[in-house]
Amino acid sequence: MSAAMELHVALSLRLDAHEAYRLAFAYEAEALRKQAATLRRVEREETPADASGVREGLLRAALILDGHADQLGTVVGKATVTPAATATPELLPETDTTDPLIVDRFDTAMEPAPEDPPVLIVGAVAADGRPVALFFDTEARDKVAAWLAPKPTRDSARERRLEQLLDTIRTHGGRWTTSRVQDMRRRRGQTAQRGTARHDLAELHGRGHLVEHGPVDGRYYTLATREDRRA
């Protein structure tokens, strides 16, 4: 995780001043190293070979930036915020690791910057009041989304199919046979089983939306009018 993202987490979770200053220094050091890397890239890829003075100046400036970054690094030390599946353990007091950390309040969610790893950070508060940062990479986000998404049931899928059919009949009108329903569904790339089409038309008729016409071997349906519903 970049220092910028760590600093964002610290400020969002309102950590102590010492931790915030440490992350601020880390962020500045990281920015200086990025600038030094940019200067070296310009010297290597964009500066003419015969421009020795310019090349030397770019490299010297990069070394100066690296020196400042190293000085900041001595302040930062070795402590870092390590991505974890549940929380930032080094920011929390020592507890019995056999007990799960329970988060009971959502605070904020932070999408990563384009240059950072695709990790969603969720700021939350544990049951005992401690701030917690949850890190979700792409795989973890997909899993959570799958857990939270309502599972489609057979009845709900059937109702959506009936609603689509009724909406189509209302839009286009005319006579609707089993074959016409099948053709419409084939054009839309949907399953077009004859038995399903026949049962759907009969169901809409049973609910009062359609009027049934003709014998069994020549049956068709039309959209019911107000007069039909009153009859």
Side-chain angles (χ1 to χ4, degrees):
M1 175 183 298
S2 70
M5 188 178 291
E6 289 186 37
L7 181 59
H8 195 173
V9 173
L11 296 177
S12 299
L13 298 183
R14 299 178 295 280
L15 301 183
D16 58 64
H18 173 77
E19 183 64 17
Y21 277 120
R22 185 189 71 79
L23 293 175
F25 282 127
Y27 174 67
E28 186 174 353
E30 184 178 86
L32 290 173
R33 290 193 176 94
K34 285 183 177 180
Q35 293 173 11
T38 300
L39 292 177
R40 290 190 176 90
R41 182 188 59 78
V42 171
E43 184 274 332
R44 183 178 61 254
E45 300 177 4
E46 301 180 18
T47 306
D50 56 353
S52 58
V54 175
R55 300 172 72 96
E56 183 179 352
L58 289 171
L59 292 176
R60 186 172 299 174
L63 287 174
I64 293 173
L65 291 175
D66 281 335
H68 289 311
D70 290 341
Q71 290 178 359
L72 290 171
T74 61
V75 178
V76 173
K78 295 183 179 180
T80 58
V81 178
T82 304
T86 55
T88 52
E90 71 282 5
L91 303 181
L92 304 178
E94 293 186 3
T95 58
D96 184 357
T97 56
T98 61
D99 295 331
L101 178 65
I102 300 175
V103 174
D104 65 356
R105 196 180 81 218
F106 167 81
D107 188 14
T108 184
M110 294 162 280
E111 290 284 353
E115 66 273 12
D116 287 323
V119 177
L120 172 69
I121 303 175
V122 176
V125 178
D128 59 3
R130 291 177 292 167
V132 178
L134 308 177
F135 299 85
F136 297 90
D137 58 16
T138 303
E139 182 179 358
R141 293 175 71 169
D142 291 341
K143 287 182 180 179
V144 173
W147 294 336
L148 298 179
K151 303 297 182 184
T153 63
R154 186 172 181 178
D155 289 341
S156 63
R158 179 170 180 262
E159 288 302 316
R160 287 196 299 271
R161 190 180 68 243
L162 290 172
E163 289 176 5
Q164 291 174 353
L165 176 58
L166 181 58
D167 182 65
T168 301
I169 293 174
R170 285 171 173 163
T171 301
H172 299 283
R175 299 185 178 188
W176 284 83
T177 63
T178 299
S179 297
R180 186 177 179 185
V181 174
Q182 287 181 279
D183 292 341
M184 177 268 293
R185 287 176 173 167
R186 287 194 193 97
R187 289 195 300 272
R188 295 181 178 180
Q190 300 171 341
T191 303
Q193 295 181 352
R194 182 173 181 81
T196 302
R198 182 172 65 251
H199 289 310
D200 287 350
L201 287 170
E203 179 65 23
L204 291 177
H205 164 64
R207 297 184 184 186
H209 297 297
L210 303 180
V211 178
E212 186 179 85
H213 304 275
V216 175
D217 58 350
R219 185 158 296 166
Y220 66 92
Y221 298 83
T222 59
L223 189 64
T225 62
R226 291 184 180 179
E227 289 74 14
D228 293 325
R229 295 192 181 96
R230 292 173 185 165

